[in-house]
Amino acid sequence: MKDKLLSVALLIGSTCGLAHTAQAQQGFGSGAGLPRNEITHVTGDLYRFRDVRHFGMFLVTPDGIIVVDPTNSRASAWLKTQLDERFGLPVRYVIYSHTHNDHASGGEAFAETATFIGHENMRHNLRKPAPDAPLPPRERLWDTNGDGLMQRAEVEGSAYYNAFDNLDTNADGALSRTEMWERQFGGEQVPPDIYYADQATITLGGKTVELHYTGRNHSDDMTVVLFPEERTIYTVDFLTPKRPPRTTLYGAFFPDWLDSLRQVEQLDFDVISPGHELPGTKADVIEQRRYMEDLVAAVSAGIAEGKSKEELVDTILMEDYDHLIEYDVSRAGNVIGVYETLMSTQ
Ligand SMILES: [Zn+2]
């Protein structure tokens, strides 16, 4: 695959970097008392910000700020106020981890000053499909009456079930392809100004941020953001330290996901700052990759033996991983998610 190297250096905003760094240190922790939002220091001029269970990041440079995942409109409005107060610098770049609207919404807070960047597959994910567009392969498995729509009973146990009435905007008792799309992608995301394919590099104010596409995993448009000087990566949804993935949520790509984790292992970093939960280390990547390898191997073996989905849920226990966060609630769902993904792509 051809590497596309994007190098952008902005010469706007000649404010003093040292002053802003000092200001940053002083401002630190002042958001910690807020129950919903807070900013925490990672290292150097790199920070993570919180919106309840979601986390984005930002890197402060003398020439402006690089934000990763504006998250949602409420969070980004709050973040903009914080950045203005603490640093007095404009946001020059917004990087998207992926298109899902619980991470990629809220960009409008920075739209006046920032260039938005995301993986090229965000382009098709942001495009609303026609109501009569065919269902994705896994959803076709659920479509037991074969009408190309999802009745309530057909989405039981999926991310669509609890949101069914909100999604069913024409109230016909079934979700079309368009109505399902709204669950993951609908909203007011500011589309990227720049789409990259395999790898991209942003330079701003003497600092560098790398964007790596490591293939399909939780989505087909996932960016791993690497801060080389800070030896930190930002990963969302497909790699959460000490928490199993959720393969049923919006579907998943196997075996691609495994290869994606192996590629992350090859990156040069010490710390993972994830989109959910607490930061971790490379050891967490290795554990996550092993979890996924064990899960996919067990489900594949069960399918080869002709076992049913229910038999696999009853017998694949993943006990080696019972120390992980949400192990109990993840286990059955992940067996089902891998089973359905493998069955729908055979
Ligand atoms: Zn997601």
Side-chain angles (χ1 to χ4, degrees):
M1 294 223 288
K2 176 169 71 75
D3 273 6
K4 180 184 172 191
L5 189 69
L6 163 74
S7 188
V8 195
L10 280 191
L11 299 170
I12 307 164
S14 56
T15 40
C16 173
L18 286 175
H20 287 296
T21 305
Q23 201 177 328
Q25 302 303 336
Q26 285 166 13
F28 233 27
S30 61
L34 297 172
R36 179 175 291 277
N37 297 117
E38 63 176 342
I39 289 172
T40 48
H41 189 216
V42 178
T43 183
D45 296 313
L46 183 62
Y47 304 84
R48 63 198 310 243
F49 67 91
R50 172 184 204 131
D51 184 66
V52 194
R53 300 192 62 165
H54 289 69
F55 293 86
M57 298 196 79
F58 64 89
L59 180 68
V60 182
T61 88
D63 292 342
I65 297 170
I66 300 169
V67 167
V68 191
D69 279 353
T71 310
N72 60 56
S73 296
R74 186 194 55 227
S76 63
W78 167 82
L79 180 64
K80 183 173 189 318
T81 305
Q82 290 290 311
L83 296 178
D84 288 346
E85 281 176 12
R86 294 175 187 225
F87 307 104
L89 288 165
V91 171
R92 290 295 179 201
Y93 288 98
V94 172
I95 300 167
Y96 287 127
S97 64
H98 64 310
T99 311
H100 287 162
N101 50 19
D102 62 327
H103 294 277
S105 304
E108 70 278 357
F110 311 115
E112 269 183 35
T113 55
T115 298
F116 289 66
I117 305 178
H119 185 260
E120 63 180 3
N121 286 346
M122 285 186 72
R123 206 190 291 268
H124 75 82
N125 287 332
L126 283 168
R127 203 174 297 136
K128 189 184 284 201
D132 61 350
L135 295 170
R138 192 178 67 139
E139 279 76 349
R140 253 174 264 156
L141 283 183
W142 305 345
D143 185 19
T144 46
N145 69 358
D147 65 351
L149 300 169
M150 294 279 102
Q151 276 73 30
R152 192 186 301 268
E154 291 175 332
V155 295
E156 202 170 341
S158 80
Y160 302 102
Y161 189 75
N162 286 338
F164 195 94
D165 291 329
N166 283 339
L167 294 172
D168 184 17
T169 46
N170 65 356
D172 65 349
L175 302 183
S176 68
R177 180 80 173 88
T178 312
E179 289 170 333
M180 296 180 81
W181 175 89
E182 292 285 351
R183 177 72 176 86
Q184 303 170 56
F185 303 113
E188 300 293 325
Q189 296 98 320
V190 176
D193 300 299
I194 299 172
Y195 292 93
Y196 80 98
D198 298 317
Q199 194 178 332
T201 302
I202 297 170
T203 56
L204 177 69
K207 301 194 181 197
T208 301
V209 182
E210 292 178 14
L211 286 66
H212 291 264
Y213 182 64
T214 61
R216 302 186 303 172
N217 39 52
H218 160 84
S219 72
D220 66 357
D221 58 359
M222 186 67 71
T223 292
V224 176
V225 183
L226 170 65
F227 301 90
E229 215 176 295
E230 293 76 14
R231 301 194 57 76
T232 299
I233 59 169
Y234 174 71
T235 62
V236 180
D237 290 347
F238 83 103
L239 172 52
T240 303
K242 298 176 181 60
R243 191 180 94 180
R246 294 171 178 175
T247 64
T248 47
L249 196 56
Y250 291 136
F253 296 92
F254 291 106
D256 312 44
W257 194 327
L258 291 171
D259 190 52
S260 183
L261 291 170
R262 290 185 194 112
Q263 287 191 48
V264 175
E265 279 180 65
Q266 300 306 311
L267 296 175
D268 191 16
F269 69 94
D270 297 323
V271 173
I272 310 176
S273 172
H276 298 281
E277 309 294 349
L278 293 170
T281 66
K282 193 169 269 191
D284 294 306
V285 186
I286 295 166
E287 179 175 61
Q288 191 90 176
R289 190 249 304 153
R290 287 189 180 138
Y291 174 96
M292 297 293 265
E293 282 176 349
D294 289 353
L295 179 64
V296 173
V299 174
S300 301
I303 291 171
E305 290 165 19
K307 287 185 178 161
S308 69
K309 183 166 72 180
E310 291 70 25
E311 285 174 306
L312 296 179
V313 170
D314 288 345
T315 54
I316 299 174
L317 303 179
M318 305 290 289
E319 298 109 319
D320 290 351
Y321 303 95
D322 61 5
H323 56 284
L324 295 179
I325 301 164
E326 298 175 355
Y327 158 82
D328 283 336
V329 290
S330 300
R331 189 197 59 82
N334 279 341
V335 171
I336 292 168
V338 173
Y339 174 85
E340 291 183 342
T341 306
L342 293 177
M343 292 303 280
S344 62
T345 52
Q346 276 174 353

